[in-house]
Amino acid sequence: MIWVYHAPPDASPTSWTGARHYGDESLVAWIAQYHPAIVMCGHVHQSPFASKGSWIDRIDGTIVFNAGRQIGPVPAHVEIDTDAQIARWSSLAGDEEAAFADSGAAVAAP
């Protein structure tokens, strides 16, 4: 199950602004209740670029992504490969890759 949700979960590096968390407490509870494989979110634009922030988090086996926002010719984005079980984050700051296995979660291909 893949969810798309506006705000990232509270107290996650994906909701960190560099000064405080701007996440959604209800999303944290829903993740605990429903255990989606992936949550794609946004809202907090600077998380991937802030010290102690991130484009990826793992909560109870759920992988959370926030690509962030940047100004430039290509937007920051996350590519998900359910066959290879990896995610790639690309931005002007560079490219990063993470394996789903690192999170303990597996995502079935559609």
Side-chain angles (χ1 to χ4, degrees):
M1 176 173 16
I2 298 174
W3 288 1
V4 177
Y5 195 80
H6 181 74
D10 196 38
S12 164
T14 60
S15 69
W16 181 245
T17 67
R20 66 172 284 224
H21 289 280
Y22 264 101
D24 189 313
E25 292 178 12
S26 296
L27 180 56
V28 176
W30 292 328
I31 288 171
Q33 182 177 357
Y34 296 106
H35 309 287
I38 292 174
V39 174
M40 302 290 298
C41 56
H43 184 63
V44 183
H45 300 167
Q46 60 272 49
S47 295
F49 308 102
S51 176
K52 299 184 183 177
S54 183
W55 65 278
I56 187 171
D57 191 18
R58 294 156 182 93
I59 300 173
D60 295 332
T62 296
I63 306 170
V64 178
F65 298 108
N66 178 358
R69 180 178 182 270
Q70 69 184 8
I71 296 172
V74 178
H77 59 279
V78 176
E79 299 172 50
I80 300 170
D81 185 332
T82 56
D83 291 330
Q85 297 284 294
I86 59 172
R88 290 179 204 90
W89 176 66
S90 298
S91 75
L92 293 175
D95 299 321
E96 293 182 24
E97 190 170 285
F100 293 172
D102 294 340
S103 71
V107 179

